[in-house]
Amino acid sequence: ITPDLDAFSNFSLTLDHDTQLENSVAALVPGQSGCIVITQGSTGGTMSYGTEWLFEAQTAPVLSTTTDYVDNLVYYVAAADKIHAVLLKDFG
């Protein structure tokens, strides 16, 4: 999955397989922010992240695994090559 942060700030997706959240296709503009709403589908999935995605303690979060649970990946573009993000989990 490759978000176009130049076109949109907020996204929604349902995971039915493992995937990678790639770096944005657009040039990052510091100050941009948004949310990616991730719903676990019936077969579920995990997510890995591109190099621009940075997390607290340099540890990528693990998504909820229960079908239909929702996680919110909230992000802030800190620099042209850095997206700070935090995962809010388990909205059942």
Side-chain angles (χ1 to χ4, degrees), residues 5 26-32 52 54 76-84:
L5 299 183
L28 297 176
V29 177
Q32 289 176 283
E52 292 176 350
L54 305 173
Y76 174 80
V77 176
D81 62 347
K82 292 180 173 62
I83 304 170
H84 294 181

Side-chain angles (χ1 to χ4, degrees), residues 15-64:
L15 284 185
D16 280 313
H17 54 79
D18 296 343
T19 191
Q20 173 149 332
L21 182 59
E22 300 287 352
N23 297 330
S24 176
V25 295
L28 297 176
V29 177
Q32 289 176 283
S33 63
C35 182
I36 302 172
V37 178
I38 305 162
T39 303
Q40 283 292 345
S42 60
T43 58
T46 63
M47 184 173 288
S48 58
Y49 304 89
T51 57
E52 292 176 350
W53 294 91
L54 305 173
F55 299 95
E56 182 180 11
Q58 301 171 359
T59 303
V62 177
L63 298 175
S64 300

